[in-house]
Amino acid sequence: MFKIEETGGKYDQTRYCFVTTPNEQTQLLLDDLTDLESKLSNKLNKNVKIDYKIDPVIGTSEDIENGRTKLEKIRKENNWDYLINITDLPYIEKGKTLKYLLKDNIMTIFIPALGFFNLKNKQLSMLEDFLKNDILNKENPTTNRLKLIIGMTLLNKPWKGVGNFKTIISLAFATGTYISIFSMPWELSVVYSKTRLTILSLLAIIGMIIWLIYAHKLWEKKSRVTDEKYRSIYNLTTFFTLLITTVIIYSINVILLTVSISLFVPIELFFESTSANNDSIISYSLRLVWFVASLSILAGAFGSTVEDENKIRFITYSYRQNYRYNMIKKEQEEQDND
């Protein structure tokens, strides 16, 4: 948000203060404030000074309209002409997924709707159009639901959530190492076709996702708090977030088991105990890793029940937004009591 100070009938300085949610992607414009000040000053031919504030402000997508009342209050208290809020919330109006919302001198930019490439440049372009009033002459851009879900999934940073599943990784690795010393998995890995091994992998990954959703109550059910259109988006985002996380965990398990099996499974004994052809040592070794990794990942999923549940839930969009919503509600109650 920013304030325009008028001197001698001319705009002397444009003062900004972005209000962003606590998320790396929403704070891209804040990475280099000096550089941003210089760019805007040159393009707008004005002296630009930037301040910023990191604050959830709005808890959930359903609360955006009510949250704008709070933003308007902030704008008036600070005597700002305009206010720009950058949030990681999605927003749907009349069936359309909006990239920004501009009402009553308040602009809210919805990062998930911007896609997943060049987010900083897209935000900067919107900001420039807004400051030059060009944005008022343009139709509010929209995006499709798939692009929105992909954007929300990437904002969840599923690759960072892997650290919350250390028990799954360790248990899957231990189970896989134990299974790999028996001859039955050896023979099964030989006789299974690549198609069957692929199906087994998919079943293991999907099975792990379903178990995680069930065990940690990650699927948002129908309620008065969440609108149907947002609930379906949150749930799909949760699924894709867990899908990426599970694939990464599966890949880590494959790497660990490759080392383990190469150390603990004697090649000579493997070929003596199975119908494998001696000419394809590497191929059969990889097939054994493939087979064992798929079996062990399901065992690892059951170990997720001993993980920190809040950490696992926090990688999902709906839980994080509800957490902010409750935090804001608590702050408001404390202010009312004071």
Side-chain angles (χ1 to χ4, degrees):
M1 64 195 149
F2 58 91
K3 176 184 178 183
I4 300 179
E5 298 179 353
E6 191 171 334
T7 304
K10 295 181 179 180
Y11 292 117
D12 181 60
Q13 184 184 71
T14 305
R15 186 176 179 84
Y16 301 80
C17 180
F18 297 100
V19 177
T20 71
T21 53
N23 186 294
E24 291 178 16
Q25 298 301 322
T26 61
Q27 297 168 35
L28 287 175
L29 288 177
L30 311 180
D31 290 343
D32 191 344
L33 296 183
T34 302
D35 182 54
L36 182 56
E37 287 177 348
S38 177
K39 284 183 178 179
L40 292 175
S41 295
N42 292 332
K43 290 189 176 184
L44 301 173
N45 196 26
K46 297 176 182 177
N47 181 24
V48 173
K49 174 62 180 175
I50 298 178
D51 297 314
Y52 69 91
K53 179 181 181 182
I54 299 173
D55 192 319
V57 185
I58 302 171
T60 64
S61 296
E62 293 84 355
D63 198 41
I64 284 178
E65 289 298 331
N66 294 331
R68 292 178 70 82
T69 302
K70 181 178 179 180
L71 293 173
E72 178 65 14
K73 181 180 179 182
I74 295 174
R75 186 185 72 83
K76 289 182 177 179
E77 286 177 350
N78 293 275
N79 196 29
W80 285 312
D81 293 307
Y82 299 94
L83 182 149
I84 297 177
N85 174 230
I86 304 176
T87 179
D88 57 356
L89 291 171
Y91 186 68
I92 300 173
E93 184 178 67
K94 296 180 180 178
K96 295 182 178 181
T97 304
L98 302 183
K99 293 185 178 181
Y100 68 81
L101 186 62
L102 178 59
K103 292 181 180 179
D104 302 325
N105 296 337
I106 297 176
M107 182 183 190
T108 301
I109 299 176
F110 306 107
I111 297 299
L114 299 185
F116 35 91
F117 295 117
N118 300 320
L119 288 181
K120 187 173 182 178
N121 290 334
K122 290 176 181 176
Q123 291 179 63
L124 184 59
S125 177
M126 278 188 180
L127 182 60
E128 292 171 1
D129 287 343
F130 179 55
L131 296 179
K132 293 185 292 186
N133 292 324
D134 289 347
I135 204 166
L136 299 176
N137 300 320
K138 295 181 178 180
E139 183 179 355
N140 194 337
T142 60
T143 189
N144 60 62
R145 298 293 173 87
L146 178 59
K147 188 175 181 180
L148 175 68
I149 291 170
I150 293 175
M152 292 172 66
T153 300
L154 295 181
L155 284 174
N156 274 343
K157 302 180 184 65
W159 50 90
K160 289 191 175 182
V162 173
N164 297 325
F165 296 94
K166 295 185 289 294
T167 302
I168 291 181
I169 296 173
S170 58
L171 185 57
F173 173 60
T175 303
T177 301
Y178 178 75
I179 293 174
S180 66
I181 66 175
F182 296 100
S183 59
M184 180 59 72
W186 300 355
E187 181 62 31
L188 289 175
S189 69
V190 171
V191 299
Y192 273 22
S193 65
K194 291 181 180 179
T195 300
R196 179 170 287 187
L197 287 172
T198 300
I199 294 174
L200 182 61
S201 297
L202 293 175
L203 288 176
I205 291 172
I206 298 300
M208 179 174 170
I209 293 172
I210 292 174
W211 173 255
L212 288 173
I213 290 174
Y214 170 76
H216 299 284
K217 299 179 177 62
L218 302 180
W219 200 259
E220 188 165 347
K221 299 179 181 180
K222 185 176 181 180
S223 67
R224 295 180 180 179
V225 178
T226 308
D227 189 280
E228 171 61 30
K229 60 178 177 289
Y230 292 116
R231 184 165 61 252
S232 60
I233 290 173
Y234 286 157
N235 284 333
L236 285 172
T237 301
T238 294
F239 177 83
F240 285 114
T241 299
L242 291 176
L243 175 62
I244 295 175
T245 301
T246 302
V247 169
I248 294 174
I249 292 174
Y250 187 93
S251 302
I252 293 173
N253 194 36
V254 166
I255 294 172
L256 293 175
L257 287 174
T258 299
V259 176
S260 175
I261 289 175
S262 66
L263 293 175
F264 296 112
V265 178
I267 296 299
E268 298 80 6
L269 183 60
F270 176 86
F271 284 107
E272 289 178 5
S273 305
T274 65
S275 57
N277 187 328
N278 289 321
D279 295 334
S280 306
I281 295 176
I282 296 178
S283 174
Y284 285 117
S285 297
L286 292 176
R287 290 166 70 93
L288 177 59
V289 171
W290 191 356
F291 177 77
V292 171
S294 298
L295 293 182
S296 63
I297 204 71
L298 288 175
F302 289 106
S304 71
T305 53
V306 300
E307 299 279 12
D308 187 330
E309 193 160 271
N310 284 331
K311 287 184 177 180
I312 293 178
R313 287 183 176 181
F314 208 74
I315 69 172
T316 63
Y317 228 86
S318 57
Y319 182 81
R320 194 163 62 251
Q321 303 311 324
N322 285 330
Y323 172 83
R324 292 179 186 172
Y325 173 81
N326 292 328
M327 181 178 66
I328 293 171
K329 187 176 180 180
K330 184 178 179 180
E331 290 178 355
Q332 291 176 342
E333 290 176 351
E334 290 176 353
Q335 291 176 0
D336 292 339
N337 291 332
D338 292 340

